[in-house]
Amino acid sequence: MACLGPLWPTLSGYHRDMGSSAKPEAIRSWKAIAAYLGCSVRSARRWEADEALPVHRHMHKSQGTVYAYPDELDAWRTRGEAQVDFPDKVQSSPSHDRSIAVLPFRYVGPDSANVYIADGCTEEVINGLTKIRALRVISRTSSMVLKDTQKDARTLAKTLRVRFLLEGTVRQHTSQLRVSARLIDPTTDEGVWAEQYDGPVETVFSIQERIARDVAAALHLRLTVDDERRLAHRGVEDVLAWRYALQARQESLRWRPDAIQQAIALLDLAIKQAGEQPALLTALGRTWLQFREAGIDTSSLPIEKARTCAERIREQIADAVEWRQLEGWIQYATGNIRAAVAQLNRVLRETPNDPDTLGLLANCYLISGRVVLARPVIERLLAIDPLTPLTRCLPGWADALEGDFATAVKAYQDMYDADPGNPLGRLFLLWILASSGNIDRALELASNFPESPDNHLPQQVARIFHAGLSGAPLPDGQVLLDNASAIAASSDMYPRLISQAYALAGDAELSAHWMSLALERGFINYPYLAQHDPLLVRVRQTESFQALLSRVRTRWQNFDDVE
């Protein structure tokens, strides 16, 4: 394998501190320190000067370098958070005092068609609590996994690593709404606080805000000025538009062409009802991008539609966080990862615990060869979204990109076990097993890959992997179908997998071709491609692949991830 030599220490200013075993790996640049704290370099420097941020310096002959240790930064950050005074009955370890999970609210009204309102209330309460910086709140995606669960409070709290649980019910009768909420101490299964809220349906937004404030009061949290500002801000004020948006979200989660189109139609109705609210335009832009993410429409239309939404947001508020969030997704979809990272980092300064933004930022860092910057983002994401399969897989993806395939296998096996019928999860497991040298199990997965009537892309890629793993030649005409090629080229993931499959089969030209498509979609992790990936051994030294690696290396070295 090619050696990285002196290039490795240039990776975002990181290298291992081999001289000491008493401290964890140091964070060795202002950019990396700022990324770890989720702030700008300017803020990190100011905190060092004004608030004793623990940054160290090492002086060389001509200049000095800065470094910091994660445990010291964590301790500094903890000291700066709002203090929490708990009654005796809810005393617990400090690491869990400020953590809560909102269990899916139950709809208890007579009209089952309104069940989605309970899911909407759950989401809005989570959104409200998330605006309180001193509180760690489990994300909607992980909370909704627990819908209809039979697990007891203690087990749920242990699974989610939280100190408190919030449960509730929603009932609508004619135009009146009743929401009940109860805060539970899972160590005793006793209620810490409970309240009932009644009012017209139009008061649903104020009810959700009151719940967030009352929970904060029950936990003796002192709200900051920024907390107050964020709690007072509402994305959508019109109740009918809010209903349309809730229904649109339910449809979009189905990821089918007709469902995504229905979601767009509902969001158009919401915008017609409430006007071009930034939250609605962001949802509409993200839904258009789903066509591309799902491989349904790989033309430029979804990008154009999303850009139109972003422009309409920016016309209203030049620096709106909603615009930056949507712009981050658009830049990612078009392969401009540098720009995506810049926007996503700015979003996290305002909403530091948004799971979608954290997940996309982590992946952007990973595919850009900034694994060490991705890990604290992944840790933060896992703290608030521990049950989503793709979130749980991210540490394994990071391990694999650093060449630790044996450790990575478990994360992919867990994702596969959670949904064995998912062809993409099966393809991921096949890939990591092959990468870790477990050829027999990888071949078994490839041989038994479920047939699909439409000859779906994962099935086609699995066939190429099977040929490469078994040593059998590719059958005549064994190339991707035209429609599959268009779908594969719309992301960085499929081109990389296809390139690795062709590399196993010994076809250097096709392997280089597909990896060049991954490069254009943003995959520039040079250390992984040049050194760590064992699937590329047969093609790495070929002229075509060496030319590709030279391009990747240039893009990797020039990547600027923080302002």
Side-chain angles (χ1 to χ4, degrees), residues 476-533:
D476 290 341
Q478 179 58 64
V479 294
L480 294 175
L481 301 179
D482 290 341
N483 65 325
S485 295
I487 294 170
S490 65
S491 74
D492 67 277
M493 176 193 68
Y494 272 122
R496 174 180 53 80
L497 289 171
I498 295 167
S499 171
Q500 291 165 315
Y502 277 126
L504 281 172
D507 193 323
E509 294 303 317
L510 276 176
S511 179
H513 165 73
W514 281 101
M515 195 61 78
S516 69
L517 294 180
L519 166 63
E520 294 310 310
R521 295 275 69 81
F523 192 89
I524 58 170
N525 192 320
Y526 178 75
Y528 175 70
L529 295 178
Q531 182 182 45
H532 299 313
D533 188 354

Side-chain angles (χ1 to χ4, degrees), residues 45-65:
R45 289 178 179 273
R46 176 172 55 80
W47 289 342
E48 185 209 14
D50 299 342
E51 301 180 33
L53 180 71
V55 174
H56 305 274
R57 283 175 168 76
H58 180 72
M59 298 307 299
H60 306 287
K61 289 182 179 179
S62 59
Q63 61 181 346
T65 58

Side-chain angles (χ1 to χ4, degrees), residues 427 452 454-462 480 484-485 487-488 494 498:
L427 182 59
S452 63
D454 297 326
N455 203 19
H456 286 167
L457 184 55
Q459 178 186 344
Q460 296 183 52
V461 179
L480 294 175
S485 295
I487 294 170
Y494 272 122
I498 295 167

Side-chain angles (χ1 to χ4, degrees), residues 103-358:
L103 304 183
F105 280 30
R106 293 183 299 109
Y107 186 78
V108 295
D111 188 355
S112 60
N114 289 332
V115 169
Y116 72 92
I117 294 177
D119 291 344
C121 282
T122 305
E123 182 170 353
E124 291 300 323
V125 169
I126 290 171
N127 289 341
L129 291 171
T130 302
K131 294 174 182 178
I132 303 172
R133 289 289 180 99
L135 191 62
R136 177 170 65 87
V137 185
I138 296 300
S139 72
R140 176 197 183 277
T141 48
S142 282
S143 287
M144 296 310 290
V145 170
L146 302 173
K147 195 171 185 177
D148 300 322
T149 183
Q150 300 302 311
K151 294 181 179 179
D152 61 85
R154 186 185 295 269
T155 301
L156 290 174
K158 183 177 180 181
T159 300
L160 297 169
R161 296 189 299 113
V162 295
R163 180 64 181 84
F164 296 101
L165 300 173
L166 182 70
E167 63 180 10
T169 61
V170 178
R171 180 185 182 90
Q172 182 182 347
H173 181 64
T174 63
S175 62
Q176 293 296 304
L177 196 67
R178 170 169 290 179
V179 180
S180 299
R182 178 171 175 258
L183 188 66
I184 302 169
D185 177 359
T187 61
T188 61
D189 205 19
E190 294 181 2
V192 176
W193 161 89
E195 189 59 81
Q196 182 173 287
Y197 305 85
D198 295 281
V201 172
E202 290 74 16
T203 64
V204 62
F205 307 115
S206 61
I207 288 175
Q208 292 157 358
E209 181 182 339
R210 285 165 58 197
I211 291 174
R213 291 181 179 277
D214 288 350
V215 168
L219 297 181
H220 294 257
L221 289 171
R222 294 200 297 269
L223 301 182
T224 66
V225 173
D226 282 341
D227 292 338
E228 295 282 1
R229 175 180 56 81
R230 286 189 292 268
L231 280 169
H233 175 74
R234 296 168 188 168
V236 181
E237 294 280 0
D238 186 276
V239 172
L240 182 56
W242 177 68
R243 285 176 179 263
Y244 286 142
L246 290 180
Q247 292 172 309
R249 183 178 180 88
Q250 295 296 322
E251 290 293 327
S252 68
L253 291 174
R254 295 163 61 195
W255 285 88
R256 283 178 13 204
D258 58 332
I260 297 173
Q261 192 61 59
Q262 177 64 11
I264 288 172
L266 286 164
L267 287 167
D268 283 338
L269 286 173
I271 291 171
K272 184 178 180 180
Q273 173 68 25
E276 294 189 338
Q277 301 293 322
L280 295 175
L281 288 170
T282 301
L284 181 60
R286 285 284 291 114
T287 306
W288 271 109
L289 289 177
Q290 280 186 265
F291 276 120
R292 190 175 179 88
E293 293 168 30
I296 298 166
D297 185 348
T298 57
S299 72
S300 61
L301 180 63
I303 301 291
E304 292 169 1
K305 291 288 189 179
R307 278 187 169 138
T308 297
C309 292
E311 289 166 4
R312 283 151 65 182
I313 295 171
R314 201 171 193 188
E315 287 171 0
Q316 298 178 52
I317 309 172
D319 199 33
V321 67
E322 293 90 349
W323 170 75
R324 292 196 178 281
Q325 186 177 51
L326 182 54
E327 186 68 16
W329 282 94
I330 292 170
Q331 296 297 340
Y332 171 75
T334 54
N336 193 348
I337 309 303
R338 277 177 73 178
V341 165
Q343 297 295 357
L344 296 170
N345 268 314
R346 289 182 175 92
V347 171
L348 290 175
R349 291 171 202 165
E350 179 66 21
T351 56
N353 292 319
D354 178 70
D356 290 341
T357 302
L358 287 168

